[in-house]
Amino acid sequence: MNFKEIMQKGKGILQKYAILFGFLVIVIVLGFVTETFFTLNNLFLILKQVSCIGITTVAMCMLIIMGCIDLSVGSVMAVSGVFGALMVSEANPQWMAFASSFGIDPVWIALLAGILMGTAFGVFNGLIIAKGKIPPFIVTLGSMTIARGLAYILSQGMPVAKLLDSFTGIGAGKLTLSESAGLHISNTVFFYIGVVLLVSFILKKRRFGRYIYAIGGNESAALAAGINVDAVKLKAYVLAGSLVGLAGTLSVSRLKSAPPAFGNAYELDAIAGCIIGGVSFNGGIGKVWSSVVGAFILVIIQQGMDMLDVQTFYQQIVKGLIIILAVLGDRKRII
Amino acid sequence: MNFKEIMQKGKGILQKYAILFGFLVIVIVLGFVTETFFTLNNLFLILKQVSCIGITTVAMCMLIIMGCIDLSVGSVMAVSGVFGALMVSEANPQWMAFASSFGIDPVWIALLAGILMGTAFGVFNGLIIAKGKIPPFIVTLGSMTIARGLAYILSQGMPVAKLLDSFTGIGAGKLTLSESAGLHISNTVFFYIGVVLLVSFILKKRRFGRYIYAIGGNESAALAAGINVDAVKLKAYVLAGSLVGLAGTLSVSRLKSAPPAFGNAYELDAIAGCIIGGVSFNGGIGKVWSSVVGAFILVIIQQGMDMLDVQTFYQQIVKGLIIILAVLGDRKRII
Amino acid sequence: GDTADTSTDTTDETVADTASDTTDTDTADTADTAEPVLIGCSIQGNQSTFMQYVVSGMFQYAEENPDIVEIDVVYADDDATKQCTQVETLIQEGIDALVLNPVDPDASAPAVDACEEAGIPVITVNTTVNSDYVSAHVGSDDVESGRIQMERVIEVCGEDCKVGYVNAVIGHSAQVGREQGYLEVLDEHPGVELVAYDTGNWSGDETMQLVENWLASGKEFDAILCEADCQLVGAYVAVEDAGLLGEILLTGMDCTDDIMAYIAEGTVDSSIWQDGVGQGYHSVRIAIDAANNIGVEDYMIPYEVCSVDNYESYLTKIEERNALAAEYF
Amino acid sequence: MSDLLEMKDISKRFGGVEALKAVSFSLKKGEVHALVGENGAGKSTLMKILIGMHRPDSGVIFLNGEKKVFNCMKDALNYGISMIFQEFNSVAHMTVADNIFLGREPYTKFHSVDYKKMHQDTKNILKRIGVDIDSKVDVSTLTVAKIQLIEIAKALSYDADIIIMDEPTSALSNNEIDNLYRIVKELAADGKTVVFISHKIDEIYRFCDRITVLRDGNLIGSDLVDNIDIDQLIMMMVNRQITEMYPKEEAEIKEKVLEVKNLSRKGNFEDISFYLRKGEILGVAGLMGAGRTELAESIFGMRRIDRGEIFVKGKKVSIKHPKDAIRHGIMMVPEDRTKTGLILKLSVKENILLTNLKKCMIAFYISKKKEKKSVETFSKILEIKMKDESQVVSALSGGNQQKVVVSRTLFSDPDIIIMDEPTRGIDVKTKADIHALMSKLANQGKAIIMISSEMPEVIGISDRIIVLHEGRLSGELTRAEADQQSVLRYAMGRNQ
Ligand SMILES: Nc1ncnc2c1ncn2[C@@H]1O[C@H](COP(=O)(O)OP(=O)(O)OP(=O)(O)O)[C@@H](O)[C@H]1O
Ligand SMILES: Nc1ncnc2c1ncn2[C@@H]1O[C@H](COP(=O)(O)OP(=O)(O)OP(=O)(O)O)[C@@H](O)[C@H]1O
Ligand SMILES: [Mg+2]
Ligand SMILES: [Mg+2]
């Protein structure tokens, strides 16, 4: 291999992993400029911060790979959280009574209710997209508004508060590694890891996952191969909906309150996370892992800007530029 | 032509104009339920309400036909409006002095500044999309954040107020048809009509317009046909940007104040308007006229719900359902 | 109350930099060596201009006292999750006290819990949070603002007037409190007819469309109340277009520039004055005390009605406020 | 022998187009059955109904004497019918193995996809049809020909009783066709039934036992190959006599108009030099993956070249974009009409006029009248079968679509025309028409480069032939020297 070839190869690798390199640069700069960035404490903090939106990003990732999208995730997180919280809110005795009537700990009912609400929206989106043959963008634009309205109706426009401690314990709970050093891993992190592993497995190792890639890559080819495209789409939206419902319920449990305005514009963060991580917007290409990287980059950038005292107005500009540069770096030869 | 064929044909027409039929149904219901809906006064009010967002919808329509999208229109309206307003704000003497220094009425400088700011974002979006080969969704997701940040920076986070009367006169001005009956047509309506005619002409009668359809239909075929795809894309984004800048400046002039938070989520309304009107989300198909119909439907629905005192919560649900039903009605045989 | 040394930990020597800053030895150090106290300020967002005035007040205090305080301001974009996240980051950075402007009374509570865990005192500003741990609150009562605005309307228009009001973003603490104030007063005055209400989402444009549609449907009002001046500008244009300026009383909150100009003209009746700069200023002052383990108490600044009758007396205040905000943003 | 399958009185219309009018069609076990007809005759539509992709408006299907309804392709696959589609159906960013096993991936006992078995099976299948492709590469990196082979492999791997091949050889060169011939014969010997759609007459006689002819959606006839001779067959297909398949007019060959020197593009072609003269038809032959398409696209500016120079009429030119090429008088008919040739959603008119809309402008706008006149000229010359000029091209049959692309090229009146597989998927009559047209154009002083995988075509109408082998120029032949053997020898890289 001569020098030129080595250069070529280097270029290729750099291009392929441009995002990761950019990510490293950001991390190193932050490490140098701030004192607290490179501490285990901060690592766990970042993990915790990533986890809820991270779960939603994983769901989005799966849909983007399938050549679809879901604009409703932010609102569905809200309505799921609100619905779940109602089951365990001392301020809403009729719902709490309903939840208690099942004879099991209302906390489980709440978790289930949240996930089911997400699933219901998944079914709704999936059915209309698969059977109605309407572009996902437009269906989920509609359901985004519907879910938000429902969140307001259910909560009567006010945050659902006074949640049972056992429920808020889900989000607040943590695994303590070292009491003295204050090292804890939040519960939500384990949920996140679980979701990442599960969806990775499905995408790589299950037929369903392969069909998601096939549909995203070439829908008519998938159809010609005898794949029940409609069923796969429905299934994917249902799975994504459940994950979003879970993310919403976990967030609410962390927040100890369910504001109906919650999750506004989270769909954009989730999409940005996927794209920054390298999931192709055209479908058919991408890994769950990419969405994890993207979600981390977004959280770390936010943290970095807060740490470096970047003014709020300028933060928006930086964030916008980073979204564009990330993809630009990925697509074009930057060296 | 036998009976079956007539039925077939009828079906075809119904399908083709499903949206228009739905629209008529809404209008008729509103006419029956409220007293004031079917008055000329109200027609002109609707026209006025449509006009600014309508201009943005026309711009969006052109981009969607080209197989692209622009998520930044809401923020760009804000930054254009803010920038224009600064030129004529008595509260910002340094900018006003700058505008006056040109020796022409600052009102024109303000209008120009607003349009130019929109154009600048058009250039930015267009260049990155065309040269960087990045999906428009992601580029404009980035510039949406950037434009919003810039609007806040320029306005220092406060609404730009105390605008010259001659500037607010642009939006407030109207053509009085009948003084006694209070029949006026707002100036902004004429701007809207002008934009609709201009863009219709371009799309139908200019080569540039044909190329937009060609690129939306099949980009690589357009390239192979010798179309300078990059240049056309850039040009389309620039044109769209200018129109959005105009819309932003007009809105601000109507509102007599330029809040930096202005136009939040307007991109969704503009997209919804196009799709409801029947512009294909896959590109290559659609007319400016469709975007007009869509924008009207959205405004009329909003008005209907306000008139009927439907509360926001339910309004959102209705709006979401209508977006979905409109497209569903358009795609599938409903009869 | 003095709650700053609730962190009665026993493992002082092993406690890493996070939790130790507020221990007695540390604060003593701070006082002696005159190393400035680091105050974290978590602001709900910049959707309404008002928060900028509050932040300006904070900066003003910090600038006046550079030796004793340093502040670090972050904005949460009206997202409670983001606020909790940012507060966690602030704690990581080692702040000595937190000034919290909660996005939501309940949803922002975990941010307070996090401070409690780290032994960092919390002062809330403008909006309260549902937590016992908060050392003090600086602000004005939202319910009160709704009450005095509605009372002003009834005072001018009489006991049997027809009113409509435009809410801020539904679920926001300011909206919840102010609407509650409206409804309380309406309950006390059964003669007043509530013709219509809806939300303007803190947007002038949306409010304009809403009021236009109200008026187009033949609804009649004696007064329209807005929960923020950034909405009132839209209502103003709608009323003006309908040729009803002067016939419908208009009132808002926050005394922004454009509305003050309308009040001077006499086309808008009033706006509610809330001393944002003062809230910010005093919140930092009190936070320093809390960080230094000095006992602190709530500090309430009452709302005032700024109307066509008395607006001159507010003009200089507003000028100062705007100059200050322009300096920091 | 009773019928294995019978389609009875099948009718299908698409909007205004009656694609099939009460067509009946039957298959016997173990036969290779040719389905032939002009472009747009309804061959693909009939087969798509059989595979369950389209639902017939009326008519019934009997399989082994039992009435069956196919609602979707899965049904057909379950009944043992598989199909190679005329338009390829592969997922570009999946591997070869993924594509072949799409929809029926093997599972391990832990219910996860068994990649090991999948790749092993893929290797076996590919070996069986004699193709050397790595099962682990992405399909996106393969040439049209290789993708075609994978489509064939996929259809075969279903182990179906009835295999429909819709123009399987259109992208293949002779080696592959021979291979396919062997496979088809094996299948027939195994008692499988093959439906073979092709426009290449010689292939039909070589491969098939029985022929069914469609014309304009009507069944014209069905009989054993032995009972129909070529003239008869052509008569049935086009309803008129074709006198000359390669009507070559002797044109006067003049000065050089195009010359390329040492053109290289990494991974595609190396050091290609040749010239083209006015009035000349230069054939470019080669096996699959020889780099002909890449070469043509690079000259036309659709791809970047790494090295080399291009001269047009003696002047060195820089071509970075198709528009540059067009400016220098070069036009191209692309290889894949749906991917790069046409904008399927737009009308015939818009597609034909796209490149040279300038001609239809009056002052600053496009004139409808001028458009209509221009389109009429070309639709007459090439006899494009369409409702009117505003019909969307996606509703035309493959052959008619190809004519639209050719019309566009002619409309912009170039001096140099590059045609990449210009008659791929075109029926005999139109093929002859296009050959005649090329000949006429050359006579009018145009210079033509024609890339073709059909040996008789290359030899039939070229004045000179260059042959590519693995991205390098391996030989050049004059019309007099050229015969099948010599061209093939060069194509396989044996220069001596
Ligand atoms: N999806 C469709 N929509 C509308 N019309 C169609 C569609 N598919 C086929 N047609 C029409 O049906 C007729 C038959 O087309 P088909 O593709 O079956 O022809 P074919 O015999 O396969 O021709 P070719 O040899 O060119 O492939 C044509 O007139 C075509 O325009
Ligand atoms: N998208 C691609 N990516 C990488 N390599 C490619 C790509 N397309 C083609 N190639 C390679 O370029 C070479 C030339 O391919 P090309 O399509 O030009 O061949 P061709 O002679 O036109 O053959 P045919 O048209 O019969 O398939 C082949 O080696 C092929 O593997
Ligand atoms: Mg066909
Ligand atoms: Mg080729």
Side-chain angles (χ1 to χ4, degrees), chain D residues 140-141 143-145 171 267-268 287-294 335 453:
Chain D
S140 64
T141 62
T143 54
V144 178
N268 296 138
L287 296 181
M288 69 164 218
R292 296 161 301 169
T293 298
E294 300 272 344
E335 178 180 38
S453 300

Side-chain angles (χ1 to χ4, degrees), chain D residues 37-38 213-216 218 220 230-242 385 427-429:
Chain D
E38 281 182 283
V213 184
L214 298 182
R215 189 171 70 224
D216 287 334
N218 292 303
I220 300 301
I230 291 191
D231 290 337
Q232 247 177 317
L233 178 64
I234 291 174
M235 187 66 195
M236 285 168 87
M237 283 164 65
V238 299
N239 205 14
R240 75 164 194 220
Q241 222 72 43
I242 291 185
K385 209 180 282 171
D427 65 57
V428 271
K429 180 180 138 265

Side-chain angles (χ1 to χ4, degrees), chain D residues 205-272:
Chain D
Y205 280 92
R206 185 173 164 210
F207 278 63
C208 305
D209 310 318
R210 203 148 68 102
I211 303 182
T212 295
V213 184
L214 298 182
R215 189 171 70 224
D216 287 334
N218 292 303
L219 176 68
I220 300 301
S222 184
D223 208 339
L224 292 177
V225 172
D226 303 336
N227 301 340
I228 308 177
D229 68 24
I230 291 191
D231 290 337
Q232 247 177 317
L233 178 64
I234 291 174
M235 187 66 195
M236 285 168 87
M237 283 164 65
V238 299
N239 205 14
R240 75 164 194 220
Q241 222 72 43
I242 291 185
T243 43
E244 173 88 90
M245 197 63 216
Y246 305 108
K248 178 73 189 156
E249 295 176 34
E250 282 311 317
E252 192 192 342
I253 293 173
K254 294 182 185 150
E255 76 277 6
K256 283 183 194 171
V257 287
L258 176 79
E259 183 158 19
V260 305
K261 285 186 178 159
N262 305 324
L263 226 52
S264 300
R265 188 183 144 88
K266 200 175 174 305
N268 296 138
F269 50 84
E270 264 310 299
D271 261 339
I272 306 277

Side-chain angles (χ1 to χ4, degrees), chain B residues 23 25-37 42 45-46 49 296-311 314-315 318-319 322, chain C residues 198 209-210 212-214 216-217 219:
Chain B
F23 181 46
V25 170
I26 296 171
V27 166
I28 290 168
V29 168
L30 276 178
F32 269 99
V33 180
T34 70
E35 276 164 33
T36 47
F37 186 82
N42 198 41
L45 175 62
I46 291 173
Q49 290 183 349
F296 267 88
I297 292 179
L298 280 178
V299 164
I300 288 177
I301 288 166
Q302 180 67 46
Q303 193 188 48
M305 290 191 297
D306 284 345
M307 284 184 163
L308 301 176
D309 285 326
V310 179
Q311 280 297 304
Y314 297 96
Q315 285 195 10
V318 171
K319 201 168 148 187
I322 283 177
Chain C
D198 208 331
Q209 196 176 353
L210 177 69
E212 278 172 352
N213 290 340
W214 279 351
S217 65
K219 294 192 171 78

